[in-house]
Amino acid sequence: MTSAAAPLTVFLVDDHEVVRRGVRSLLESEGDLRVVGEAGTYRDGLGGIVESAPDVAVLDARLPDGSGVDLCRAMKARVPGVRGLILTSYDDDEALQSAILAGADGYVLKEIGGSSLLSGVRAVASGHSLIDPTVAIRVMERMRASAEQAADSDLGGLTPQQVKILALLGQGLTNREIADRLTLSEKTVKNHITHLLARLGVQRRTQAALIAARLRLPGCDRPLPRLAR
């Protein structure tokens, strides 16, 4: 006699308690899914995910003390085996490209139906991607073109500190992590990044990260996330 398979474990991060309750109720109505924890902030979410090491983390894109995308990046660094599903109200290429670079395994809108969310959690848990490959390829190609154009420009105007920050951006570090690494305040790092992006002629830190990779700055030689087909 064979025993039933262990249920897939899920951790929820959303700053709206009503949303968490609704998603939790939906997931736990299925016999093969079990919610092992929930949080309403980046900080509590990261701590809970590291402690519980679930199969899937469902992450709200916007949190009071950070973002689900940054949380996904930090989570992947600490517990690489956890699959990340970004749940968002925003459908735009810039948000998607940030999710791709953070290593998200899925990116779905909150308008998704209950049955679709259930199948999505199961899909990412089994190793599939919920990021449409056609859209992802288009976004990545646009980012590469932007990075190539900016990297070909004169970077001599960057200060040594800004070069260090650019390299750390290329490694996927958050402002908080960069501040800790360089012994600076988070506000100082934010100001440096603002000037850095303006100097490079880009608007997003993910674009700066691609420039760092193209320039082969230290620690920036990791390949871009593989796109599922």
Side-chain angles (χ1 to χ4, degrees):
M1 180 175 180
T2 59
S3 58
L8 298 173
T9 55
V10 183
F11 195 100
L12 304 176
V13 184
D14 194 296
D15 61 335
H16 293 95
E17 182 182 359
V18 172
V19 173
R20 294 201 308 271
R21 286 188 177 186
V23 174
R24 181 169 198 145
S25 177
L26 173 68
L27 295 176
E28 293 190 332
S29 68
E30 303 290 303
D32 63 329
L33 300 172
R34 180 166 64 92
V35 177
V36 294
E38 61 180 71
T41 64
Y42 173 107
R43 180 176 180 178
D44 292 343
L46 181 58
I49 291 168
V50 170
E51 182 178 355
S52 62
D55 295 306
V56 179
V58 178
L59 311 172
D60 187 11
R62 292 194 175 183
L63 299 168
D65 57 342
S67 75
V69 170
D70 286 340
L71 176 52
C72 183
R73 183 182 296 108
M75 172 192 82
K76 292 283 187 176
R78 299 280 294 277
V79 276
V82 178
R83 309 283 288 178
L85 179 61
I86 305 294
L87 192 59
T88 179
S89 302
Y90 306 96
D91 182 17
D92 62 82
D93 284 354
E94 288 188 351
L96 177 57
Q97 74 182 34
S98 296
I100 292 172
L101 288 181
D105 302 288
Y107 184 92
V108 297
L109 298 179
K110 286 188 174 181
E111 289 80 3
I112 190 173
S115 60
S116 296
L117 179 59
L118 290 171
S119 60
V121 169
R122 294 185 180 107
V124 297
S126 63
H128 297 289
S129 172
L130 286 189
I131 297 176
D132 184 280
T134 303
V135 176
I137 290 171
R138 185 185 73 237
V139 170
M140 297 303 293
E141 288 302 322
R142 185 187 307 120
M143 292 171 64
R144 287 191 183 97
S146 176
E148 289 174 2
Q149 182 178 5
D152 288 338
S153 66
D154 178 16
L155 299 181
L158 297 183
T159 67
Q161 190 76 286
Q162 289 171 342
V163 173
K164 291 179 184 178
I165 291 174
L166 179 60
L168 295 175
L169 280 177
Q171 295 174 36
L173 272 63
T174 64
N175 287 4
R176 186 179 309 168
E177 292 167 334
I178 293 172
D180 291 341
R181 185 75 63 88
L182 298 179
T183 320
L184 299 171
S185 71
E186 197 169 343
K187 182 178 180 180
T188 298
V189 170
K190 184 177 180 180
N191 289 337
H192 273 303
I193 291 176
T194 298
H195 293 304
L196 175 61
L197 297 182
R199 180 66 186 85
L200 294 175
V202 297
Q203 296 180 334
R204 305 283 295 185
R205 60 191 296 130
T206 47
Q207 293 171 305
L210 283 176
I211 292 171
R214 179 171 172 79
L215 294 174
R216 301 180 183 274
L217 294 180
C220 304
D221 54 351
R222 296 178 302 172
L224 293 171
R226 180 177 64 84
L227 302 177
R229 294 182 181 275

